Amino acid sequence: MMRAVVVREFGGPEALWLAELPVPVPGPGQLRIEVAAAGVNPVDLVTRSGALAEFGLMPTPTGAVGIGWDVAGTVAELGPGAEGFAVGDQVIGLRDRLDAPLGTYAEQLVLDASAVAPLPAGLSPVAAATLPLNGLTADQALDLLDLPAGASLLVTGAAGGVGGFAVELAARQRGLRVVAVAGAADHDGLRAMGAEFVIDRQVSDLAAAVRELVPGGVDGALDAALLGIRALGAVRNRGAFVSVAGDVPVGLRGIRVQTVWIAADGAALGRLAQLAARGELTLRVADTLPLADAEKAHRRLAEGGLRGRLVLAP
């Protein structure tokens, strides 16, 4: 048996239950991972509340619902046909199936081998557990934007998990000119991460502020703060716009509007982990808590004001 945090009935943080469950068995092409660290993300709060089920993004459960996407740990067992890993390997991975009954808030977890990447030497499991969901979301959003080197990119919510990775990946890895939007306390840090311009998130007219810096508007926008039409106004005619949630504005002025739907990708995750290990991608840990304090972690995240991710360590 093992411990895992699940939701039996949707609700507030008190809906999280620390349960005793059977150790999962890996199927074909899967790995069982002994969890060392699990990231706590805003989507976990939305999952727990039942909002994702209401929007049809996950089935209404008949039993317990697993919580958590990000994991770092050690390979404990290989399923039939699982390749590329051995028992004892340290790994990171992403659980991207909301219909799975077990999430990463657990002592043991089964994932497809294709969703897992080696943990680079020198990178701690706790720090690495902040990378998969937000790093892959930022990377896949930039793929959708498909901007050439030298193009201009607006990143809203640039001090957050997705936004921070997007700024660094865009500026340092893809050669984009980044206009970041964040609170005043984060301006210097974003410039150090590669942003060419930083705009305060309290600005009354975001489109006008952006167009003053980039005449005609930016070539693309990654809307991590879900500003919608306010951010769309900053994009040039026939530019590109990607949101990290499903509700996107109409593609006015010929703007190509899309939503990034995260997909586990072990190869891409491995590349991002190597960047982090070399110090080219910043991992930010706000605090580490035991698995039994998942409810406390959700309450702290809901209060806001964190810089970096909370991590549960079974």
Side-chain angles (χ1 to χ4, degrees):
M1 300 292 285
M2 66 159 194
R3 299 183 307 157
V5 174
V6 298
V7 173
R8 295 171 179 166
E9 294 185 6
F10 292 131
E14 68 281 354
L16 298 174
W17 287 79
L18 187 61
E20 290 281 339
L21 298 174
V23 173
V25 177
Q30 294 185 321
L31 312 172
R32 176 165 61 85
I33 298 170
E34 182 177 348
V35 179
V40 180
N41 292 285
V43 69
D44 300 339
L45 279 61
V46 183
T47 304
R48 184 209 70 224
S49 73
L52 292 185
E54 290 178 7
F55 288 126
L57 298 178
M58 62 180 290
T60 301
T62 56
V65 173
I67 299 290
W69 294 59
D70 293 328
V71 66
T74 303
V75 176
E77 183 181 358
L78 303 177
E83 298 179 349
F85 298 94
V87 172
D89 286 351
Q90 287 196 300
V91 295
I92 56 174
L94 179 72
R95 172 252 191 184
D96 63 354
R97 287 187 53 191
L98 287 167
D99 60 332
L102 187 64
T104 61
Y105 294 14
E107 293 178 329
Q108 305 280 336
L109 177 70
V110 164
L111 289 179
D112 292 340
S114 60
V116 175
L119 178 68
L123 199 60
S124 76
V126 168
T130 67
L131 176 63
L133 176 61
N134 293 311
L136 284 172
T137 298
D139 194 50
Q140 291 172 16
L142 292 169
D143 285 344
L144 287 176
L145 287 164
D146 195 24
L147 299 176
S152 54
L153 172 68
L154 172 68
V155 179
T156 70
V162 173
F165 287 137
V167 168
E168 287 189 296
L169 290 171
R172 295 177 174 173
Q173 304 302 320
R174 304 193 184 219
L176 302 180
R177 301 174 57 214
V178 175
V179 182
V181 181
D186 297 299
H187 288 196
D188 289 343
L190 287 167
R191 291 189 183 94
M193 292 163 68
E196 182 175 342
F197 304 108
V198 184
I199 296 174
D200 195 275
R201 66 184 181 188
Q202 300 297 331
V203 66
S204 59
D205 189 336
L206 177 60
V210 171
R211 287 170 177 269
E212 185 175 344
L213 298 170
V214 184
V218 289
D219 297 304
L222 196 166
D223 189 18
L226 308 183
L227 300 184
I229 195 68
R230 289 184 58 210
L232 190 76
V235 180
R236 66 166 174 81
N237 290 6
R238 298 182 178 84
F241 181 101
V242 170
S243 172
V244 300
D247 189 14
V248 296
V250 174
L252 304 172
R253 297 181 285 110
I255 297 172
R256 176 168 49 87
V257 173
Q258 299 180 82
T259 298
V260 56
W261 296 105
I262 182 68
D265 184 336
L269 181 57
R271 175 175 54 81
L272 295 176
Q274 289 293 338
L275 291 175
R278 296 197 298 267
E280 298 176 34
L281 200 58
T282 304
L283 305 181
R284 295 174 291 173
V285 178
D287 199 1
T288 306
L289 297 87
L291 185 64
D293 283 350
E295 178 180 340
K296 179 180 178 181
H298 276 220
R299 294 187 186 280
R300 285 185 59 183
L301 181 56
E303 290 170 358
L306 294 173
R307 290 296 176 267
R309 283 282 170 257
L310 297 171
V311 176
L312 299 175

